[in-house]
Amino acid sequence: MSSTTGSQGRGVVVTGAGSGIGRATALRFAQLGDKVLVADLNADGAEAVVKEIEAGGGTARAVVGDLSDQHTADEVISTAVEAFGGLDVLVNNAGIIDTMTATADVSDAKWERVIRINLTAPFLLTRAALPHLLGRGNGAIVNTASEAALRGSAAGTAYTVSKHGIISTAPVSRSPPTSPRRPRWWRPRTWGRPERTSRTSKPCTPSTGSPRPTPAARPATPGASSSSRSEHAARPRRSAPPYSTRSPPTPRPPPSPTTSPRPRQSHSSNCSGLETQTLVIAH
């Protein structure tokens, strides 16, 4: 697997890398020359991705287990640090859905499982990775979210709540800045029509009741005679056509419901050399 931009040699952890978006992410990092740890609950999928990376000349390791367990989360980070000599990037991509279950139909077991994998696991991994990332002076944490976190939903309650939590963890996953520079906090925005901010106008001065001053007379144009001015004033003006002959304005059609455009990635913030990003995936 040849690198297109030169070897980077970073230590990267990608969760849920046994298939889908996680697999594509792991393969792309390997293509860039990075060393990738593939973390997934599916042992066959994780080992297949490791073999694919190694077949292309890359370096990869696999850790299989439940990422919402503290022991597994610690094992993922420690394995990456020991095998790659450090950790530079953490991609929290692993997640599950809840079969679009409405609030009244969500069982305790389903709620706890979705929240545990989609929200608790990224928290445990981020907490375990932060000392290593901050110790190196730079790094990145990438959290995969969903469009459901920007608009809510009548179904998929547990999944929607978990992705709202993922977006909310981005600004608070960093340590306080060591420099006086103010960090750039990020807040989610609603995709679609841009928000308009109203501008406050200057308050009007109350009227005193005095009549408006009469404008000064326009000075006469040099060389113009009084007779030419009088002829111009006497010339009849063309009258406008009566309103009855004008066609009524065409009514505007009612606005059609529009769907939000596909959100782009890159919700990022930088503080003390550590960058956190949230990828919003449109379904």
Side-chain angles (χ1 to χ4, degrees):
M1 185 175 295
S2 61
S3 172
T4 58
T5 60
S7 177
Q8 301 294 324
R10 297 171 297 186
V12 180
V13 170
V14 182
T15 67
S19 61
I21 297 174
R23 174 182 175 274
T25 303
L27 294 177
R28 180 56 178 165
F29 274 115
Q31 185 181 10
L32 294 175
D34 296 322
K35 296 164 284 188
V36 184
L37 186 139
V38 177
D40 203 286
L41 187 62
N42 185 347
D44 294 337
E47 293 295 342
V49 173
V50 170
K51 292 180 180 178
E52 187 173 356
I53 293 176
E54 292 178 342
T59 302
R61 297 288 187 275
V63 173
V64 178
D66 184 2
L67 297 173
S68 64
D69 179 71
Q70 183 68 67
H71 175 73
T72 305
D74 292 339
E75 181 185 358
V76 167
I77 301 302
S78 62
T79 302
V81 172
E82 294 172 3
F84 306 149
L87 179 63
D88 299 282
V89 181
L90 168 63
V91 181
N92 289 314
N93 171 76
I96 60 173
I97 59 175
D98 59 356
T99 63
M100 298 299 290
T101 307
T103 302
D105 302 323
V106 178
S107 63
D108 292 346
K110 181 173 293 186
W111 171 271
E112 292 174 359
R113 181 169 182 265
V114 172
I115 296 298
R116 188 176 69 251
I117 296 176
N118 291 5
L119 188 57
T120 303
F123 162 72
L124 296 177
L125 289 161
T126 299
R127 185 175 63 181
L130 277 174
H132 302 282
L133 295 173
L134 294 174
R136 296 174 70 89
N138 55 25
I141 300 175
V142 181
N143 299 320
T144 302
S146 167
E147 189 184 12
L150 301 179
R151 53 176 174 78
S153 176
T157 302
Y159 178 83
T160 302
V161 170
S162 68
K163 293 306 179 179
H164 272 82
I166 283 293
I167 285 186
S168 300
T169 58
V172 299
S173 61
R174 305 181 306 273
S175 62
T178 56
S179 62
R181 180 173 60 87
R182 182 178 181 182
R184 295 178 294 173
W185 299 104
W186 168 82
R187 67 176 180 86
R189 58 162 291 185
T190 302
W191 296 95
R193 182 175 299 179
E195 300 177 358
R196 293 185 177 181
T197 56
S198 59
R199 181 179 299 176
T200 305
S201 58
K202 185 178 180 181
C204 300
T205 305
S207 174
T208 58
S210 58
R212 295 182 58 184
T214 304
R218 185 176 180 180
T221 305
S225 61
S226 59
S227 60
S228 62
R229 288 196 299 269
S230 62
E231 291 175 359
H232 178 74
R235 185 181 304 168
R237 295 184 177 182
R238 191 186 319 176
S239 59
Y243 286 99
S244 59
T245 61
R246 296 181 179 179
S247 59
T250 305
R252 289 185 177 183
S256 59
T258 57
T259 57
S260 301
R262 184 182 182 89
R264 300 184 298 271
Q265 68 173 48
S266 73
H267 298 299
S268 61
S269 44
N270 196 340
C271 178
S272 302
L274 177 63
E275 183 180 7
T276 59
Q277 295 184 348
T278 301
L279 302 184
V280 180
I281 307 301
H283 297 292

